[in-house]
Amino acid sequence: MSGLIISLLIGGIATYSHSAAVPVSDENPVEIAPEELVFKQKLVYELLQHVDQATVGNPELYKKGKSWDIKENSKLYDSEQVVNEFLEKYERGMLPRGRIFSVFYPVILEEAISLFRLFKSATNHDTFLKTAAWARIHVNEGQFIYAFSVAVVHRTDMKFVKLPPPYEINPHLFFNSETIRQAQIKKMTHVPHPSGVKLSYLLQTNESTWRTDYPNNFEERLNYFTEDVGLNAYFHILNLEYPFWMSSEEFNLPKGYRGEQYYYSLKLLLTRYNLERISNGLNKIEYIDWNKPLITGYHPSLTYPNGVQFPHRHRESHVPQDKYKQLQEIANLESRILGIIDSGYFVDVEGKTDSIYTSDGLDNLANIIEGNADSLNKQLYGSVDAVSRDILGFHPTPLNKHQTLPSAIQHFSTSLRDPIFYRLIDRIVGYFERYKSNMEPYTREQLGAGSGLKIGSLDIGDLETFIDHSDLVVDNAVAIGNFADGESIGIKARQHRLNHKPFTYTVNIIAEKPTPAMIRVFLGPKYEPISNRELDIADNYADFYEIDNWKVELKSGENEIKRADHEALFVLPDDEGADTFYWKVKESAETKIPFMYSKRMYGFPKRLLIPKGKKDGLPLRIFVHVAPCNDDHTSETDSPVWGKGITDGRPLGFPLDRPSTIENLTLPNIHWRDVVIFHKDVDEVNV
């Protein structure tokens, strides 16, 4: 529920309210890691290996966990209340090991939050480590992984310590059942090499295209995108920075932008997904009507680590009868949200009314819709996001508080796999577009007219995409006998994924005087997917997705600004696998060989920056906007997930976040350019 940016944004999106965040540097430099950082990094990876096997793992960590007593060491936590509340829950009985965890079930979420608070209150790293080692043994696997991951992101003494890719921690949430089964068979038939040499196996994976209940399932054309492990890992990570349950006041988080980040991350996901639909000849997604059958079915082909299959949904299914209460609730909540937008006022927790059309109005509205801890009236407005997931997931009603079977959209790791989630995003983003349409359009001056800046031209290299593959570590999908047994075998799954040929674009800007400025670049459709009718730019502005924005120092006269695709905001290459990254860390810890680390640890997959396109070419439009930066509104930001950035005081998505006229979208500091994306076979592309 917490927002594709997202402090993300897709392809590089801004993260901070009323402003677009841009990297301080276009580079992602590496540095030599201090010995203490190497030590912490190694332990984080080891604590998250084979979590479902409590007695398996680093023997020293296991000993620390077995011998640690939280109650006896309560003075090593900065809050006695936090310790007592956790121990009370633990002694009363928390979610048993082997059961399924999801943040969308209140009771088991509260248990996980209690564990997170315990991690966060540890007064030093040694106490944090021992508490984590204890929890790895005694607490439900899912709760441990979640609480520990959030703690690593938010503890100041864990800065620059990187979590393993989510698909390595829990492959069951990212790889189809067939792949998991193949990995288990490989492990069962594996015989360790007499010399102790590690043996590696490579599995071929398939997309979920065979388990369908109806012909002509056009949604399957997009499986290469929706099942991309990098994309799903990104959405998982971005929801660790601002978990919907985390209060900005309690945990001293920067205030005033989490809501806008939630909105814009979803907006970027939606526009990026729609471009992929156009690439495959599909029209815009259909609107959800709660009282009619849901057109889109979904068979996840996923199995939980305990062997239980994910719930599925048949095509043209009505909402189940046991969700009728939630249907009434969502009708009430949506009515109240629309009332806020159209009346311009909301009611706070004290019963006072306040305007939603203020400088922080969008942030407040988004917090209300998500229903996060900063919502101004959670009791009245609830959570449209959570209730919608509860309805659309088609999961069974829990037998009891600890007997749950979450659907794909009840995990951030799997939400993007289900086509219905994009319909939900479309519905939520629609509230914000309605809100924005009630605001005054930007004036020509606000858009940069009269700023003395003019875009003379835009040149861009060939835009070509292809399908290649990535070999991904799935060692945690199999059971091992002991730590040494686990280090004797390596299993990888090969997944086909979308990629593109590197490209560069050059923007020629003429400035009347030296000017600090922000450049924003958007990509969007030129034609209707089915009718092939050319779209009016002023009408389909909301269909454009921001692929980049950055700050430049313009000199007087002509400026030739070059920008490569890998410099786009918030994009990063795919993660190194544990077979490379962990072994580098381990070698450094044991031999003192320098380990190089990056201060930008997470990002949107660089290879997904542009859509697939078509064999015969997909015509799109690029929109470029440049405007001066006002020093009074420019400030630096620092995200524990996305790193340092700069804001320029303008809303996320500016200037395509509000309706406009064609006259205002053709100012001298704005430039439109037609582009064509070609999809080719990998051997046709000269990378």
Side-chain angles (χ1 to χ4, degrees):
M1 272 167 28
S2 170
L4 225 206
I5 228 149
I6 229 169
S7 288
L8 182 174
L9 290 189
I10 293 201
I13 309 330
T15 57
Y16 297 97
S17 179
H18 316 310
S19 59
V22 300
V24 171
S25 169
D26 291 337
E27 303 299 327
N28 186 27
V30 294
E31 300 179 15
I32 297 177
E35 186 174 332
E36 182 182 11
L37 179 60
V38 174
F39 171 73
K40 294 176 181 177
Q41 185 66 79
K42 177 175 179 289
L43 293 179
V44 165
Y45 261 67
E46 291 175 351
L47 281 166
L48 292 172
Q49 289 177 357
H50 299 285
V51 180
D52 58 336
Q53 295 182 265
T55 60
V56 171
N58 183 315
E60 291 301 316
L61 286 175
Y62 180 72
K63 290 179 183 178
K64 288 179 185 291
K66 286 292 290 184
S67 62
W68 186 247
D69 189 307
I70 295 172
K71 191 171 186 178
E72 286 187 3
N73 292 281
S74 60
K75 295 187 181 300
L76 294 177
Y77 302 90
D78 62 20
S79 172
E80 184 177 354
Q81 180 180 351
V82 165
V83 173
N84 291 337
E85 287 180 353
F86 172 77
L87 290 177
E88 181 183 348
K89 282 183 171 60
Y90 180 72
E91 291 167 1
R92 189 169 62 238
M94 292 172 56
L95 182 68
R97 290 183 63 85
R99 297 284 178 86
I100 303 167
F101 170 72
S102 165
V103 297
F104 291 99
Y105 292 85
V107 172
I108 59 179
L109 171 61
E110 282 301 319
E111 294 170 356
I113 293 173
S114 183
L115 178 59
F116 163 76
R117 293 180 193 275
L118 186 69
F119 287 151
K120 189 76 165 57
S121 68
T123 56
N124 55 63
H125 179 264
D126 185 61
T127 302
F128 173 50
L129 166 66
K130 291 175 179 176
T131 307
W134 176 91
R136 185 184 180 278
I137 299 170
H138 296 92
V139 175
N140 172 269
E141 308 92 295
Q143 288 180 322
F144 166 71
I145 291 171
Y146 181 71
F148 181 69
S149 297
V150 179
V152 168
V153 168
H154 287 272
R155 282 187 62 95
T156 56
D157 59 1
M158 298 300 285
K159 191 170 186 178
F160 304 130
V161 176
K162 183 179 181 179
L163 291 166
Y167 48 82
E168 291 187 357
I169 300 173
N170 194 347
H172 291 77
L173 298 184
F174 294 87
F175 296 93
N176 296 343
S177 304
E178 314 91 273
T179 302
I180 300 299
R181 177 60 177 162
Q182 288 181 56
Q184 292 169 343
I185 291 174
K186 286 295 182 185
K187 177 60 181 71
M188 287 188 292
T189 58
H190 165 71
V191 178
H193 195 278
S195 67
V197 174
K198 183 175 183 177
L199 299 179
S200 298
Y201 302 92
L202 180 63
L203 312 175
Q204 299 293 332
T205 66
N206 295 309
E207 298 160 356
S208 305
T209 57
W210 59 275
R211 300 185 66 176
T212 59
D213 60 337
Y214 59 95
N216 301 321
N217 181 9
F218 300 117
E219 293 294 334
E220 289 182 344
R221 298 179 187 176
L222 303 175
N223 283 355
Y224 66 89
F225 179 77
T226 59
E227 296 187 5
D228 187 288
V229 298
L231 178 67
N232 285 279
Y234 154 77
F235 194 57
H236 171 88
I237 290 292
L238 91 86
N239 280 282
L240 296 179
E241 182 178 13
Y242 282 97
F244 61 87
W245 50 265
M246 185 176 285
S247 165
S248 295
E249 182 175 354
E250 179 182 356
F251 293 99
N252 196 30
L253 304 176
K255 296 180 180 179
Y257 74 87
R258 78 179 295 175
E260 190 175 18
Q261 169 180 298
Y262 166 77
Y263 146 66
Y264 201 55
S265 65
L266 295 182
K267 167 68 180 293
L268 288 165
L269 274 174
L270 177 64
T271 50
R272 178 63 185 83
Y273 171 78
N274 280 335
L275 288 178
E276 215 59 53
R277 291 181 65 85
I278 295 172
S279 296
N280 288 275
L282 301 179
N283 210 340
K284 278 190 175 183
I285 54 181
E286 71 282 354
Y287 184 76
I288 290 177
D289 186 329
W290 297 115
N291 300 310
K292 293 183 179 180
L294 300 172
I295 295 175
T296 306
Y298 180 56
H299 291 260
S301 297
L302 295 173
T303 303
Y304 284 107
N306 64 2
V308 178
Q309 292 187 345
F310 272 62
H312 67 271
R313 181 184 62 257
H314 291 298
R315 177 178 168 86
E316 300 283 358
S317 292
H318 286 274
V319 172
Q321 186 174 358
D322 64 347
K323 302 295 183 184
Y324 284 0
K325 182 178 179 180
Q326 288 89 328
L327 280 177
Q328 182 60 57
E329 183 178 3
I330 197 64
N332 295 336
L333 296 181
E334 289 187 323
S335 176
R336 293 167 192 165
I337 297 299
L338 293 174
I340 293 175
I341 295 170
D342 293 339
S343 72
Y345 293 91
F346 64 89
V347 179
D348 67 18
V349 70
E350 296 178 353
K352 299 176 182 178
T353 60
D354 201 355
S355 174
I356 202 71
Y357 291 100
T358 60
S359 60
D360 58 357
L362 177 63
D363 192 68
N364 288 332
L365 177 63
N367 289 336
I368 287 171
I369 291 173
E370 185 184 18
N372 62 45
D374 292 342
S375 172
L376 296 172
N377 195 335
K378 180 70 176 292
Q379 181 176 354
L380 178 62
Y381 299 115
S383 172
V384 168
D385 189 312
V387 175
S388 298
R389 290 174 188 261
D390 191 10
I391 295 170
L392 297 172
F394 277 52
H395 53 279
T397 300
L399 296 176
N400 56 61
K401 65 181 182 180
H402 288 157
Q403 193 79 28
T404 65
L405 182 55
S407 67
I409 60 173
Q410 289 185 301
H411 298 285
F412 294 118
S413 299
T414 55
S415 290
L416 303 187
R417 297 173 67 103
D418 188 344
I420 203 69
F421 185 64
Y422 299 95
R423 277 74 179 166
L424 172 57
I425 294 176
D426 184 57
R427 194 175 184 90
I428 290 175
V429 169
Y431 303 137
F432 296 103
E433 291 180 350
R434 183 168 180 148
Y435 171 80
K436 293 271 189 176
S437 69
N438 289 343
M439 303 174 74
E440 290 293 328
Y442 292 116
T443 65
R444 294 171 66 85
E445 289 70 29
Q446 288 175 316
L447 293 171
S451 64
L453 300 180
K454 177 182 178 181
I455 299 178
S457 64
L458 168 66
D459 294 319
I460 190 166
D462 295 336
L463 299 179
E464 298 176 352
T465 70
F466 54 92
I467 299 293
D468 63 3
H469 65 262
S470 181
D471 297 335
L472 306 159
V473 175
V474 294
D475 293 349
N476 285 336
V478 302
I480 58 175
N482 51 51
F483 192 63
D485 181 34
E487 293 196 328
S488 75
I489 182 173
I491 305 176
K492 288 186 175 183
R494 173 164 291 180
Q495 184 184 64
H496 296 286
R497 81 273 177 86
L498 180 64
N499 207 336
H500 65 263
K501 177 182 177 180
F503 64 89
T504 300
Y505 45 90
T506 303
V507 187
N508 183 275
I509 302 174
I510 303 168
E512 293 181 357
K513 60 183 179 180
T515 307
M518 189 75 75
I519 300 175
R520 290 175 167 85
V521 182
F522 296 77
L523 183 67
K526 181 178 181 180
Y527 297 105
E528 281 280 2
I530 304 302
S531 68
N532 209 34
R533 177 181 62 86
E534 185 168 352
L535 296 164
D536 187 298
I537 294 171
D539 291 337
N540 80 315
Y541 70 94
D543 296 329
F544 280 71
Y545 115 93
E546 190 172 6
I547 63 174
D548 202 3
N549 70 62
W550 72 101
K551 185 180 178 183
V552 293
E553 297 291 338
L554 300 174
K555 68 181 192 309
S556 180
E558 290 194 9
N559 297 262
E560 187 179 83
I561 310 297
K562 290 191 175 183
R563 186 78 164 176
D565 63 303
H566 65 82
E567 296 174 303
L569 193 63
F570 291 122
V571 301
L572 284 180
D574 290 329
D575 285 308
E576 283 187 306
D579 59 326
T580 301
F581 185 85
Y582 170 69
W583 288 100
K584 286 181 182 178
V585 173
K586 184 180 179 183
E587 183 180 46
S588 178
E590 294 174 351
T591 67
K592 308 306 178 185
I593 293 176
F595 171 72
M596 309 304 292
Y597 80 102
S598 169
K599 293 183 177 180
R600 280 193 64 201
M601 300 177 293
Y602 311 102
F604 185 77
K606 178 182 74 68
R607 53 189 174 74
L608 296 180
L609 183 61
I610 61 175
K612 179 181 177 181
K614 295 182 177 181
K615 287 286 186 180
D616 57 352
L618 175 66
L620 297 173
R621 282 193 175 113
I622 280 188
F623 170 94
V624 182
H625 176 271
V626 60
C629 292
N630 187 325
D631 290 341
D632 293 338
H633 296 95
T634 300
S635 61
E636 289 191 4
T637 57
D638 192 2
S639 161
V641 173
W642 311 106
K644 292 186 177 181
I646 296 176
T647 68
D648 73 344
R650 295 183 173 97
L652 297 177
F654 175 86
L656 296 183
D657 61 318
R658 296 187 196 175
S660 190
T661 63
I662 189 64
E663 291 77 18
N664 281 356
L665 293 178
T666 54
L667 296 172
N669 61 312
I670 291 176
H671 189 85
W672 294 90
R673 163 76 187 269
D674 290 349
V675 296
V676 180
I677 299 180
F678 291 91
H679 181 67
K680 298 187 175 183
D681 293 334
V682 64
D683 55 5
E684 297 179 287
V685 179
N686 182 17
V687 180

